[in-house]
Amino acid sequence: LPLPPTFSIIFLPLIPIIAYFLIHFISNHSSNLPPGPLSIPIFGNWLQVGNDLNHRLLASMSQTYGSVFLLKLGSKNLAVVSDPALATQVLHNQGIEFGSRPRNVVFDIFTGNGQDMVFTIYGDHWRKMRRIMTLPFFTNKVVQHYSNMWEVEMDQVVHDLNKDEGAKTEGIVVRKRLQLMLYNIMYRMMFNAKFESQEDPLFIEATRFNSERSRLAQSFEYNYGDFIPLLRPFLRGYLNKCRDLQSRRLAFFNHYFVEQRRKIMAANGEKHKISCAIDHIIDAQIKGEISEENVLYIVENINVAAIETTLWSMEWAIAELVNHPTIQSKIRDEISIVHKGAPVTESNLHELPYLQATVKETLRLHTPIPLLVPHMNLEEAKLGGYIIPKESKVVVNAWWLANNPAWWKDPEEFRPERFLDEECGTEAVAGGKVDFRYLPFGMGRRSCPGIILALPILGLVIAKLVSNFEMKAPQGVEKIDVSEKGGQFSLHIANHSTVVFNPIKA
Ligand code: HEM
């Protein structure tokens, strides 16, 4: 039967498109890939889902596609895990299979093709780097050794706020001062070195280098060349910018800090050779365990992983405490009852459960790395009955695990009490039973080793601020803005608000 001409004109051109979707549908189902939106050639789902694949968007997609779903971003696969049972598989039971990290053209540059620890694949190099970093950074002995120094840096912040008349009246944006404090804490641990003030040219340079690195690495500007290999030549300018920044940045760390330690170590001779973390790392390099480049990439990793994450958490905690004065008073009361005027120190933090619950609640509601650092399977793997193609980027939506109303009571509320009541026993790190709903530091092999430093640092800062100041919104402002700015790697406060620090009379 001949087709009417209008039918042919309208429908014939659609046949290849329909055929493509049918073939795609059948092949997805026959190869048992996780569900996900239908993708188009070359672009995959990229044009549908856009660039900003943040924790909230991915959580809402999980309502449609399920607890593991697959997005195609050009030539790359992104598997998104949104429930505790599957998170257990990725991070724990199948932790080796999913224990690598994906990189892209830009991360290849910033990690020297995986010469670092954070972004290297799971294997001998990662194991060696993690072992070498553990002794000088991530043990209880390190915490005991340095906690006095942390407190000195924190007391200096309290002192500066007390001196600042503006902080008591119209208020200040405290972020920059806390940033200096955290740089000093980390640089004293790493190099026995510190910055004099926010105006110290070396501090300005270090923060500039690090924030430019974060901007270039996290930008969506280079997605087109990353997702669509054919377009990679157009990225040349961008990649050159990254290369130039990285070589100047590593030279800066080397010249001003690492080389200084090498000289001091040489001058001290064998006897007092090691006095800070990088001395240990240099020692491992001298013994031939790692290369000089690896030393610099360890410095780079600490700069990236340790400082801003802890700073975002502090900003969130302060913002929530300003908006919840009763929580501030409860912390203050707890400290005065338990410590009766004696200072809070690292060794007695465990006596302050409400303070610790406040830290936990901050990291739950405002998970600083909401999708963890992406994982990757080097080989094809099975997850939840589906096939995850090899070299997929696998993200665990840790923010959603900790904010899904199916698993938490009134998750949108900032309520530290939950960790003393219905959630008592829920810990960021496993004492006994692992709770995969609460993973602000990840879990398993690639989990954050810095938790051992971050939790006491956060507890101490909050304790010092709350016991010395009533933190308030400026006059005329009822609540400070807690809108968030999200991205693949970070969830930070969108606006660095002004806070009034009203000294509490002793
Ligand atoms: C990895 C969170 C502070 C060093 C990670 C991961 C998360 C995280 C979610 C990835 C886990 C995974 O992929 O499964 C945080 C948060 C912090 C914090 C929320 C502060 C509140 C620190 C500090 C240090 C540090 C202070 C170092 C002094 C690292 C390193 C890794 C890592 C080296 C990579 C581990 C690996 O790949 O094997 N962190 N972190 N972090 N973090 Fe942290």
Side-chain angles (χ1 to χ4, degrees):
L1 203 69
L3 292 169
T6 45
F7 180 92
S8 317
I9 291 166
I10 296 173
F11 288 105
L12 280 182
L14 292 181
I15 287 175
I17 300 173
I18 294 167
Y20 167 78
F21 279 113
L22 269 178
I23 292 167
H24 186 276
F25 184 78
I26 291 164
S27 74
N28 263 16
H29 278 251
S30 57
S31 59
N32 201 21
L33 294 174
L38 273 185
S39 60
I40 58 169
I42 302 176
F43 297 100
N45 306 112
W46 182 29
L47 302 179
Q48 293 148 273
V49 297
N51 271 330
D52 191 12
L53 283 173
N54 64 62
H55 53 292
R56 285 185 194 269
L57 177 63
L58 294 176
S60 78
M61 290 179 82
S62 75
Q63 315 276 52
T64 311
Y65 299 108
S67 50
V68 53
F69 64 92
L70 191 72
L71 295 174
K72 281 207 83 73
L73 300 173
S75 61
K76 304 209 163 170
N77 290 306
L78 170 67
V80 183
V81 171
S82 314
D83 98 344
L86 290 178
T88 315
Q89 291 300 321
V90 170
L91 303 176
H92 181 63
N93 301 10
Q94 294 170 245
I96 294 181
E97 277 177 279
F98 290 107
S100 288
R101 303 272 193 214
R103 288 199 306 270
N104 58 37
V105 279
V106 166
F107 276 81
D108 280 347
I109 293 171
F110 286 125
T111 65
N113 289 319
Q115 292 185 66
D116 68 331
M117 189 268 249
V118 181
F119 292 99
T120 197
I121 57 168
Y122 183 79
D124 288 343
H125 172 70
W126 169 79
R127 254 189 300 276
K128 188 166 61 181
M129 292 286 271
R130 191 148 170 153
R131 175 177 54 75
I132 289 171
M133 286 172 79
T134 297
L135 187 69
F137 285 110
F138 308 125
T139 63
N140 279 320
K141 216 169 147 192
V142 172
V143 173
Q144 279 156 23
H145 183 75
Y146 283 110
S147 57
N148 274 348
M149 174 275 277
W150 302 346
E151 286 185 39
V152 169
E153 290 297 330
M154 293 171 191
D155 289 340
Q156 192 59 51
V157 174
V158 170
H159 175 259
D160 289 356
L161 286 172
N162 267 321
K163 250 186 13 197
D164 185 339
E165 282 307 314
K168 297 173 201 165
T169 50
E170 67 264 31
I172 60 157
V173 178
V174 75
R175 176 189 157 82
K176 204 74 201 162
R177 182 62 189 87
L178 293 175
Q179 187 184 39
L180 174 67
M181 177 195 82
L182 278 171
Y183 266 81
N184 278 343
I185 285 177
M186 287 301 155
Y187 275 59
R188 286 180 79 175
M189 288 177 71
M190 272 196 286
F191 306 115
N192 255 349
K194 67 173 285 182
F195 303 101
E196 286 313 316
S197 69
Q198 291 170 49
E199 287 74 44
D200 184 333
L202 280 189
F203 177 65
I204 294 172
E205 217 170 332
T207 49
R208 231 182 241 156
F209 274 133
N210 285 338
S211 72
E212 186 60 0
R213 182 264 181 221
S214 296
R215 195 187 66 76
L216 285 171
Q218 296 205 34
S219 162
F220 299 112
E221 251 182 84
Y222 66 86
N223 272 356
Y224 71 91
D226 181 34
F227 296 164
I228 302 171
L230 264 177
L231 299 180
R232 213 152 282 166
F234 296 103
L235 270 186
R236 210 167 288 145
Y238 193 91
L239 298 184
N240 283 340
K241 223 193 271 176
C242 297
R243 267 185 217 105
D244 172 59
L245 174 76
Q246 184 66 349
S247 68
R248 286 186 295 115
R249 181 167 166 259
L250 292 188
F252 170 82
F253 293 146
N254 196 33
H255 178 73
Y256 289 104
F257 300 100
V258 178
E259 281 299 326
Q260 301 308 316
R261 289 312 313 169
R262 286 186 193 282
K263 282 184 198 147
I264 292 168
M265 282 171 82
N268 285 351
E270 272 308 305
K271 221 162 147 218
H272 301 290
K273 211 165 81 177
I274 290 175
S275 78
C276 58
I278 289 304
D279 293 1
H280 279 272
I281 309 287
I282 292 173
D283 196 46
Q285 176 245 309
I286 292 168
K287 288 181 181 141
E289 293 187 68
I290 51 171
S291 68
E292 285 188 25
E293 281 75 26
N294 295 147
V295 176
L296 286 181
Y297 281 105
I298 287 175
V299 173
E300 120 84 32
N301 276 179
I302 297 291
N303 270 272
V304 169
I307 299 175
E308 290 297 318
T309 43
T310 316
L311 185 58
W312 299 327
S313 315
M314 279 176 198
E315 283 193 276
W316 282 122
I318 292 170
E320 290 294 356
L321 289 173
V322 168
N323 289 347
H324 296 87
T326 46
I327 298 178
Q328 276 191 62
S329 323
K330 277 188 169 183
I331 299 176
R332 217 170 279 130
D333 289 349
E334 184 180 67
I335 293 172
S336 67
I337 291 167
V338 173
H339 290 151
K340 300 184 181 70
V344 179
T345 63
E346 188 280 321
S347 59
N348 59 29
L349 273 176
H350 66 276
E351 295 166 3
L352 302 167
Y354 192 77
L355 171 69
Q356 294 191 354
T358 308
V359 173
K360 284 184 188 171
E361 181 67 341
T362 305
L363 298 172
R364 182 195 66 78
L365 188 59
H366 304 293
T367 317
I369 312 191
L371 303 171
L372 306 184
V373 179
H375 287 238
M376 192 257 276
N377 50 318
L378 281 172
E379 300 299 333
E380 184 177 286
K382 281 208 175 120
L383 183 65
Y386 298 110
I387 300 273
I388 307 296
K390 74 177 208 176
E391 294 179 3
S392 294
K393 177 167 169 173
V394 181
V395 297
V396 172
N397 194 342
W399 172 82
W400 184 229
L401 299 184
N403 284 272
N404 183 338
W407 304 313
W408 297 80
K409 194 171 145 204
D410 303 325
E412 67 295 337
E413 247 181 63
F414 185 79
R415 185 170 56 88
E417 287 77 4
R418 75 176 73 243
F419 285 104
L420 305 175
D421 300 338
E422 78 271 16
E423 296 291 345
C424 67
T426 302
E427 294 289 341
V429 83
K433 194 169 151 282
V434 179
D435 187 338
F436 281 82
R437 291 172 311 141
Y438 186 63
L439 304 170
F441 295 92
M443 182 60 70
R445 292 167 181 77
R446 299 306 290 253
S447 65
C448 176
I451 183 175
I452 194 167
L453 312 178
L455 287 180
I457 288 175
L458 287 172
L460 282 171
V461 162
I462 296 174
K464 294 217 182 256
L465 290 178
V466 169
S467 39
N468 283 285
F469 304 100
E470 192 188 349
M471 297 188 283
K472 295 196 301 193
Q475 213 172 19
V477 179
E478 205 191 316
K479 294 250 176 212
I480 63 172
D481 181 9
V482 286
S483 337
E484 60 187 35
K485 192 160 177 244
Q488 269 285 356
F489 281 111
S490 60
L491 171 54
H492 43 93
I493 201 158
N495 298 304
H496 307 299
S497 300
T498 302
V499 172
V500 174
F501 289 84
N502 209 355
I504 291 173
K505 311 268 175 308

